[in-house]
Amino acid sequence: MAKEFVKDVTAMEDDFAKWYTDVVTKAELVDYSSVRGSMIIRPYGYALWENVKEALDQRIKATGHENVYMPLFIPESLLTKEKDHIEGFAPEVAWVTHGGDEKLAERLVVRPTSEVLFCEHYSNIIHSYRDLPKLYNQWSNVVRWEKTTRPFLRTLEFLWQEGHTAHATAEEAQEETIRMLEEYAYICEEFLGIPVVKGQKTEKEKFAGADATYTIETLMHDGKALQSATSHNFGDGFAKAFNIQYLNKDGKQAYVHQTSWGFTTRVIGALIMVHGDNRGLVIPPRIAPTQVMIVPIAQHKEGVLDYAYALKNSLASSIRVGIDASDKKPGWKFNEYEMKGIPLRLEVGPKDIEAGQVVLARRDTGEKMTVAADRVKEVIHVLLETIQRDMFDKALEHREANTASVTSYEEFVTLFDGKNPGFVKAMWCGERACEDKIKEETSATSRCIPFEQESIGNTCVCCGKEATKLVYWAKAY
Amino acid sequence: MAKEFVKDVTAMEDDFAKWYTDVVTKAELVDYSSVRGSMIIRPYGYALWENVKEALDQRIKATGHENVYMPLFIPESLLTKEKDHIEGFAPEVAWVTHGGDEKLAERLVVRPTSEVLFCEHYSNIIHSYRDLPKLYNQWSNVVRWEKTTRPFLRTLEFLWQEGHTAHATAEEAQEETIRMLEEYAYICEEFLGIPVVKGQKTEKEKFAGADATYTIETLMHDGKALQSATSHNFGDGFAKAFNIQYLNKDGKQAYVHQTSWGFTTRVIGALIMVHGDNRGLVIPPRIAPTQVMIVPIAQHKEGVLDYAYALKNSLASSIRVGIDASDKKPGWKFNEYEMKGIPLRLEVGPKDIEAGQVVLARRDTGEKMTVAADRVKEVIHVLLETIQRDMFDKALEHREANTASVTSYEEFVTLFDGKNPGFVKAMWCGERACEDKIKEETSATSRCIPFEQESIGNTCVCCGKEATKLVYWAKAY
């Protein structure tokens, strides 16, 4: 019986991309519009983002950062001040050329990222070592002129936060870069229930204008990787391009050292592809807009709705609880809240009320249990924590089962020819030529040089020369 | 002695516009950038906005609305679907014409407001009376190509929320329009401490595409009015242009009735110009990022800093409290926090510690008082509420002192020739011609037809014909 409800969702084994699109639309996370490549984030999708955002914003503030807001537009001349930066972004920016009826004297870019605006501002407000560090963050929309788009994963416009900091020393900038990467890892693992691999990007994959880029990489159900957040150490490159100098304690002019770090709506895509199943979304309790949905059974019978509402009110102080008292059939309600991935369903009908019990159903495992009514609050609290932990453990198990250590290039190529390649750990010589060759021949890219290095061999998996680093490779979104 | 600290701020009596600019920059609310007409909202300014936003967001959610996010760009063909709407906005939009290196087949507008996107979405998701009402809200940035700009008051880009709702009946839409205007009034009066006049805009002043526009109008220190938020009833005009129909309970197709309502960063400008003085900002406690700033006196003496930090910790659970333990002189600190408008300053030095007391200084009145250390938390709580109320009362008194009832056109013109014209209540015939004449001859505009109507005469102040309405007139920002 259950099956007929989900007949509209393509099975992920049959067509993963189609499954993804089915889920994001049927769970009402997004809708399309006549704006190419952009998405409408619907109430349920936005509530999810608000919960993730709030959790991260608290961590950003707790680590001493302050929120600011920079302009949406960037004059062309400002964007081009740092050479690598403009080269990286020029192909993918939207240009404003007219205001009202007038052609502009200078074209404006719709921000793809705001480094240059922060740099200009910092050059105005930083004068002395007393002004350092500056620890700013911005929540905003950004635009990148992508050709192929997919909701959350790659869109013309997306929402994010971008942190931009300025420090007196290179050491402080490096500490900040890693600190914020760790915060991102914390949010992903503890709130989104997604295990991450932390590491450094290769020169080829680093951010335009950065000295070093760090990343958290996650593995999706289909064996592809998703770069889930990045943190960059800029050294003093931008400071020199924008003349951000300060008087140090010795009375000398010195350049600041800068970082930037970003976390986007893309993680909602990761959430879907790490936890979802063929019945729809599965949302970890800590970020679930609704943690428990009450579905009254035989609600037309006397006392059922009163009982259900009283139960809702008794839970509402510490649990995000909803109730569906509409005239839809319970089966349809079950289907809808499974599609939306609500962690727990609470059923209560006349027989339950008589027996002084309710039924709880876990979305993640499908497990159903009968609980005494006077213990329900306590049980739910424990269950929500259990579900949160179990979801992380299951995702970690999936990742470990789909991470291979490979030493021969033949095996490497064969793996990436397969349907669900996963992460491949392999040694690398450090040369760009091997990365290029691997990408050309397998479509895999270096995801990161993980902080946790192991030696699984002495030679580069591609060229056979001496290896310097273990690298995580994957096909990626 | 105090005077020398504030010598950098122009007195508002001498040059109000210069005073305003001095305050927004010296209180570090905003900074300028190379982006014409845009502002950088600095940490203190953004923290203020976050507090206002949070208060309003809670009310928006409590009244059953859900947050969503719509695309930044609007295709030209979509914007032009509703005739009045495009006529109103065409002169002030920014056009995106290129993406990367390619010229776009269709130009995109950077949203000046999002009616058309909500309408397109509603036409996709509304099918039946069961889908109504739809009560959506969006927090976002918008762009209007203004020629003359001033931080917060009129900028190329600003932050706001825009609510967009669809209802089954005209009555429900009208109720919603007024409900949200009342919410705006509540936030202005209860949080920002700014008294408002609620009323309806004339046909001339209403929103492009609306059947009726309602507004809250506030009076600044310089006798000019500021439109502080608006709420629009669209009737079924947009529904017809975008074909938003639903199957009603009688099984017939019907058009929805829509509203929209917006509240922007502009209110920060109102806050400055209603409460500020020649020493800088004065912030109402409920939205103050810091409500109490502790300034240790003779902090090098043993025990002072320990005592001050212990005090801070004991207050922090229920009060937003800061401490300035930097090596600046206390006088400089006093000046800085007065400039930033922090409601209460708490001074504590060796003698106070010995006497078991602290000194509290109110920003709004300058009053200083000595308080027993063991009562300080309780006293602060009471004081913050008192300050909030006193600031509102003072602003209301100012508005009442600067609101005139006028029956002769000569008096009307003379008043608007003066330096601080304020609100002028005068009767009006209802004809556009009189509004146009008044604007041309006095620069004053009709601010609103207030909900609280009084009859102060029978004839139009301008043409002498029969009057239909009392109108608030003012020069406006």
Side-chain angles (χ1 to χ4, degrees), chain A residues 126-132 167-169 243-257:
Chain A
I126 294 172
H127 309 291
S128 142
Y129 68 91
R130 289 168 195 267
D131 299 325
L132 295 173
H167 307 264
T169 67
N243 196 30
I244 314 174
Q245 293 195 68
Y246 71 99
L247 204 65
N248 70 17
K249 286 185 181 170
D250 304 327
K252 288 183 187 149
Q253 288 289 319
Y255 288 107
V256 301
H257 290 74

Side-chain angles (χ1 to χ4, degrees), chain A residues 31-36 38-44 46-47 50 53 57 61 66-75 78 90-102 104 107-108 110-111 117 120-121 124-125 130 134 136 139 141 143 145 147 156-157 159 327, chain B residues 31-36 38-44 46-47 50 53 57 61 66-75 78 90-102 104 107-108 110-111 117 120-121 124-125 130 134 136 139 141 143 145 147 156-157 159 327:
Chain A
D31 196 10
Y32 299 99
S33 72
S34 61
V35 190
R36 181 192 76 79
S38 295
M39 58 181 166
I40 292 169
I41 308 181
R42 300 185 68 178
Y44 194 56
Y46 200 81
E50 276 186 323
K53 181 180 167 178
D57 192 61
K61 285 174 175 156
E66 300 177 293
N67 286 340
V68 300
Y69 188 76
M70 291 281 157
L72 172 67
F73 296 140
I74 304 174
L78 191 66
E92 55 177 57
V93 294
W95 293 100
V96 173
T97 57
H98 291 72
D101 292 333
E102 281 174 39
L104 307 185
R107 299 195 298 174
L108 300 171
V110 183
R111 64 177 164 225
L117 292 168
E120 186 187 46
H121 184 49
N124 285 337
I125 64 168
R130 289 168 195 267
K134 283 285 181 227
Y136 285 179
W139 290 95
N141 56 343
V143 168
W145 206 260
K147 303 253 187 255
L156 217 73
E157 179 192 7
L159 303 182
D327 56 8
Chain B
D31 197 8
Y32 299 100
S33 72
S34 60
V35 190
R36 181 191 78 78
S38 295
M39 58 181 168
I40 293 169
I41 308 181
R42 300 185 67 178
Y44 194 55
Y46 199 80
E50 277 186 323
K53 180 180 165 176
D57 192 60
K61 285 173 176 158
E66 299 177 294
N67 285 339
V68 300
Y69 188 76
M70 291 281 157
L72 173 67
F73 296 140
I74 303 173
L78 191 66
E92 55 177 55
V93 294
W95 292 100
V96 173
T97 57
H98 291 73
D101 291 335
E102 281 173 38
L104 306 184
R107 299 195 298 174
L108 301 171
V110 183
R111 64 175 163 226
L117 292 168
E120 186 187 45
H121 184 48
N124 285 336
I125 64 169
R130 289 169 195 267
K134 285 283 180 228
Y136 285 179
W139 290 96
N141 56 343
V143 167
W145 206 259
K147 305 258 183 239
L156 217 74
E157 179 192 6
L159 303 181
D327 56 8

Side-chain angles (χ1 to χ4, degrees), chain B residues 2 17 22 83 137 181 233 293 340 378 390 433:
Chain B
D22 283 355
K83 290 285 170 278
N137 175 62
L181 190 80
N233 186 339
M293 179 59 79
K340 291 199 162 172
E378 167 196 346
D390 287 356

Side-chain angles (χ1 to χ4, degrees), chain B residues 204-205 409 428 431-446 462 473:
Chain B
K204 175 183 162 83
E205 299 288 335
Y409 193 58
W428 175 55
E431 293 298 323
R432 168 87 182 239
C434 285
E435 276 184 281
D436 289 342
K437 185 179 173 207
I438 285 172
K439 183 161 187 196
E440 169 136 4
E441 295 180 356
T442 68
S443 301
T445 50
S446 70
C462 180
W473 306 85

